[in-house]
Amino acid sequence: MYTNIAGIGAYVPKKILTNGDLENMIDTTNEWILKRTGVQERRIAAENEFSSDLAIKAVENLLENSALSIADVDMVIVTTFTADHLTPSVAALVQGHFAIKNAGTMDLNAACTGFTYGLCVADSLLTAGHSKKILLIAAETTSKILDYTERGSCILFGDAAVAVLMEKNSSHQKILQSYFTSDGSLAPLVACSNLAPTVNDKPFEKDHIFQQEGPLLYEYVIKNIPTGIQTLLEKNDMLLQQIDWFIPHSANLRMIKSMCAKLNFPFEKTLISNDFYGNTSSASIPLAIWLGQQNSKIKKGDVLLLYGFGAGLTHGGIIIKW
């Protein structure tokens, strides 16, 4: 028996923030943003719209475009680092909205690596027999924690949610292998305060505002992520040439192209989502999958390599035969 992704749905907020809009807000230009990030537009949640709202709408989209039911889901997992509250969890709010009976709920926070962690956790629960059907959602409203006077971060991020329904069956589709690692000593490179005033004894510059050391993070990613991808492939006795689609976290187009060059992997076989939606943290990988299906790129039998990286610092991935 294998884990099958039975369906996928997505939601992005209605408000569009263009590079032209940002030109009127901060010292930047459309050309500068495109050259450094590849982002043209990003979606921004309304003032009264939070991660749970986006998650619920992504599930509604999944149900509207399929004959699937979530009534018998026995676990709801939401990957997010922008939860509505410290508690209750976003997953509990989703379960309550849809009145799903007998379903456990939990949020999982691994920042931009979150969705690959979520897939691994869901697959483990299903294949071990603890669950029969899982609703896995990546939902992020990063715009709520951005400083829109700070050019380095606000040009990158957007809001989105993607929901996938996972179940155990004997279909062709299966999760092949996973790999995860972290370096918490570098945690101050990407952080947002909550209760503690410091991270690894380093004070936060602003309360409840996202901060990152962009150049240092870029160096870390280019140095370490290709090695992590090779480790993942080796765990599955595969070569990169056997991968049909590489789907990395859509952090930055320049970063992704550099990774592809270092791996000697064709960028044309890479799926991204940040060009019109920005960096949507844990939602970026499933959003790229959803877009790949909408554009009829991903086909039955394709082998996908998903790889996330971000705050923690965390990185890790998973290989799926679609």
Short mmCIF file of all heavy atoms in Angstrom, two decimals, residues 7 15 27 49 52 66 70 72 101 157 160 177 189 194 199-200 211-212 233 236 243 285 290 293:
data_model
loop_
_atom_site.label_atom_id
_atom_site.label_comp_id
_atom_site.label_asym_id
_atom_site.label_seq_id
_atom_site.Cartn_x
_atom_site.Cartn_y
_atom_site.Cartn_z
N GLY A 7 -6.24 14.59 -4.37
CA GLY A 7 -6.72 15.84 -4.95
C GLY A 7 -5.97 17.03 -4.38
O GLY A 7 -5.33 16.94 -3.33
N LYS A 15 -6.32 40.65 -3.57
CA LYS A 15 -5.49 41.85 -3.73
C LYS A 15 -4.14 41.51 -4.36
O LYS A 15 -3.43 40.62 -3.91
CB LYS A 15 -5.25 42.52 -2.38
CG LYS A 15 -4.41 43.79 -2.48
CD LYS A 15 -4.17 44.45 -1.13
CE LYS A 15 -3.27 45.67 -1.26
NZ LYS A 15 -3.03 46.33 0.05
N ASP A 27 12.03 52.65 -2.14
CA ASP A 27 13.05 52.99 -3.13
C ASP A 27 13.44 51.74 -3.91
O ASP A 27 14.36 51.01 -3.55
CB ASP A 27 14.28 53.58 -2.42
CG ASP A 27 15.38 53.97 -3.42
OD1 ASP A 27 15.06 54.12 -4.62
OD2 ASP A 27 16.54 54.12 -2.98
N GLU A 49 -8.37 38.92 6.88
CA GLU A 49 -8.18 37.60 6.27
C GLU A 49 -6.86 37.01 6.79
O GLU A 49 -5.80 37.63 6.67
CB GLU A 49 -8.12 37.76 4.75
CG GLU A 49 -8.23 36.48 3.96
CD GLU A 49 -8.32 36.76 2.47
OE1 GLU A 49 -7.63 37.70 1.98
OE2 GLU A 49 -9.07 36.06 1.78
N SER A 52 -6.03 30.84 8.51
CA SER A 52 -7.14 29.88 8.57
C SER A 52 -8.17 30.16 7.48
O SER A 52 -8.75 29.24 6.90
CB SER A 52 -7.83 29.92 9.94
OG SER A 52 -8.43 31.18 10.17
N SER A 66 -13.47 18.54 -7.59
CA SER A 66 -13.31 17.09 -7.53
C SER A 66 -14.56 16.46 -6.94
O SER A 66 -15.45 17.16 -6.44
CB SER A 66 -12.10 16.72 -6.66
OG SER A 66 -12.36 17.03 -5.30
N ILE A 70 -14.31 15.07 2.42
CA ILE A 70 -13.42 15.16 3.57
C ILE A 70 -14.13 14.75 4.85
O ILE A 70 -13.58 14.88 5.95
CB ILE A 70 -12.83 16.58 3.73
CG1 ILE A 70 -13.96 17.61 3.90
CG2 ILE A 70 -11.95 16.92 2.54
CD1 ILE A 70 -13.44 19.00 4.27
N ASP A 72 -14.70 11.91 6.09
CA ASP A 72 -14.05 10.81 6.81
C ASP A 72 -12.56 11.04 7.03
O ASP A 72 -11.82 10.11 7.37
CB ASP A 72 -14.27 9.49 6.07
CG ASP A 72 -13.82 9.55 4.61
OD1 ASP A 72 -13.62 10.67 4.09
OD2 ASP A 72 -13.67 8.48 3.99
N LYS A 101 -15.84 15.14 11.74
CA LYS A 101 -15.94 14.36 12.97
C LYS A 101 -14.74 13.43 13.12
O LYS A 101 -14.22 12.91 12.13
CB LYS A 101 -17.22 13.53 12.97
CG LYS A 101 -18.50 14.34 12.76
CD LYS A 101 -18.71 15.34 13.90
CE LYS A 101 -20.02 16.10 13.72
NZ LYS A 101 -20.22 17.13 14.78
N PHE A 157 7.71 38.51 -0.65
CA PHE A 157 6.71 37.60 -0.10
C PHE A 157 5.28 37.89 -0.55
O PHE A 157 4.91 39.03 -0.83
CB PHE A 157 6.78 37.62 1.42
CG PHE A 157 8.02 36.99 1.96
CD1 PHE A 157 9.16 37.75 2.19
CD2 PHE A 157 8.07 35.64 2.24
CE1 PHE A 157 10.32 37.17 2.68
CE2 PHE A 157 9.21 35.04 2.73
CZ PHE A 157 10.34 35.82 2.94
N ALA A 160 -0.76 32.80 0.37
CA ALA A 160 -1.44 31.74 -0.40
C ALA A 160 -1.72 30.55 0.50
O ALA A 160 -1.13 30.42 1.59
CB ALA A 160 -0.59 31.30 -1.59
N GLN A 177 11.02 8.62 -1.12
CA GLN A 177 12.05 8.81 -0.11
C GLN A 177 12.05 10.25 0.37
O GLN A 177 11.54 11.15 -0.31
CB GLN A 177 13.43 8.45 -0.70
CG GLN A 177 14.56 8.35 0.28
CD GLN A 177 14.29 7.37 1.41
OE1 GLN A 177 13.79 7.77 2.46
NE2 GLN A 177 14.60 6.09 1.20
N LEU A 189 19.50 34.09 11.25
CA LEU A 189 19.52 34.55 9.85
C LEU A 189 18.12 34.79 9.30
O LEU A 189 17.93 35.63 8.42
CB LEU A 189 20.25 33.54 8.96
CG LEU A 189 21.75 33.37 9.17
CD1 LEU A 189 22.33 32.42 8.12
CD2 LEU A 189 22.48 34.71 9.12
N ASN A 194 8.33 36.38 18.94
CA ASN A 194 7.03 36.06 19.52
C ASN A 194 7.08 36.38 21.01
O ASN A 194 6.86 37.51 21.41
CB ASN A 194 6.67 34.59 19.26
CG ASN A 194 5.25 34.27 19.65
OD1 ASN A 194 4.50 35.17 20.00
ND2 ASN A 194 4.88 33.02 19.60
N VAL A 199 16.92 35.63 19.84
CA VAL A 199 17.07 34.30 19.27
C VAL A 199 18.56 33.98 19.28
O VAL A 199 19.36 34.74 18.73
CB VAL A 199 16.46 34.18 17.86
CG1 VAL A 199 17.03 35.20 16.90
CG2 VAL A 199 16.65 32.77 17.30
N ASN A 200 18.94 32.89 19.97
CA ASN A 200 20.36 32.57 20.18
C ASN A 200 21.11 33.78 20.74
O ASN A 200 22.21 34.11 20.31
CB ASN A 200 21.02 32.10 18.88
CG ASN A 200 20.55 30.72 18.46
OD1 ASN A 200 19.69 30.12 19.11
ND2 ASN A 200 21.09 30.21 17.37
N GLN A 211 12.45 39.21 9.80
CA GLN A 211 13.77 39.74 9.45
C GLN A 211 14.63 38.62 8.89
O GLN A 211 14.51 37.46 9.30
CB GLN A 211 14.45 40.38 10.66
CG GLN A 211 14.72 39.41 11.81
CD GLN A 211 15.30 40.10 13.04
OE1 GLN A 211 14.77 41.11 13.51
NE2 GLN A 211 16.38 39.54 13.55
N GLN A 212 15.49 38.95 7.95
CA GLN A 212 16.42 37.95 7.42
C GLN A 212 17.70 38.62 6.94
O GLN A 212 17.70 39.79 6.55
CB GLN A 212 15.79 37.15 6.28
CG GLN A 212 15.50 37.92 5.01
CD GLN A 212 14.96 37.04 3.89
OE1 GLN A 212 14.66 35.87 4.09
NE2 GLN A 212 14.83 37.60 2.70
N LEU A 233 18.69 12.00 -3.29
CA LEU A 233 18.75 11.09 -4.44
C LEU A 233 19.48 9.80 -4.09
O LEU A 233 19.03 8.70 -4.45
CB LEU A 233 19.45 11.78 -5.62
CG LEU A 233 18.66 12.90 -6.30
CD1 LEU A 233 19.57 13.75 -7.16
CD2 LEU A 233 17.52 12.33 -7.14
N ASN A 236 17.59 7.19 -2.29
CA ASN A 236 16.63 6.46 -3.12
C ASN A 236 17.30 5.76 -4.30
O ASN A 236 16.63 5.27 -5.20
CB ASN A 236 15.56 7.43 -3.64
CG ASN A 236 14.29 6.73 -4.04
OD1 ASN A 236 13.66 6.07 -3.22
ND2 ASN A 236 13.90 6.86 -5.29
N ILE A 243 14.79 12.49 -12.65
CA ILE A 243 13.76 13.39 -12.14
C ILE A 243 13.10 14.12 -13.31
O ILE A 243 13.77 14.74 -14.14
CB ILE A 243 14.37 14.42 -11.16
CG1 ILE A 243 15.03 13.70 -9.97
CG2 ILE A 243 13.32 15.41 -10.69
CD1 ILE A 243 14.09 12.83 -9.16
N ILE A 285 5.80 25.39 -2.68
CA ILE A 285 5.99 24.12 -3.40
C ILE A 285 4.64 23.54 -3.86
O ILE A 285 4.48 23.22 -5.04
CB ILE A 285 6.79 23.11 -2.56
CG1 ILE A 285 8.26 23.56 -2.47
CG2 ILE A 285 6.69 21.70 -3.14
CD1 ILE A 285 9.12 22.69 -1.57
N TRP A 290 0.28 22.70 -8.00
CA TRP A 290 -1.08 23.04 -8.45
C TRP A 290 -1.03 23.74 -9.80
O TRP A 290 -1.80 23.41 -10.72
CB TRP A 290 -1.76 23.92 -7.40
CG TRP A 290 -3.16 24.31 -7.74
CD1 TRP A 290 -4.29 23.53 -7.64
CD2 TRP A 290 -3.60 25.58 -8.23
NE1 TRP A 290 -5.40 24.24 -8.04
CE2 TRP A 290 -5.00 25.50 -8.41
CE3 TRP A 290 -2.96 26.78 -8.53
CZ2 TRP A 290 -5.76 26.57 -8.87
CZ3 TRP A 290 -3.70 27.85 -8.99
CH2 TRP A 290 -5.10 27.74 -9.16
N GLN A 293 -0.20 21.30 -12.55
CA GLN A 293 -1.36 20.51 -12.98
C GLN A 293 -2.31 21.35 -13.82
O GLN A 293 -2.85 20.88 -14.82
CB GLN A 293 -2.09 19.97 -11.75
CG GLN A 293 -1.39 18.79 -11.08
CD GLN A 293 -2.37 17.90 -10.36
OE1 GLN A 293 -3.12 18.35 -9.52
NE2 GLN A 293 -2.35 16.63 -10.69
#
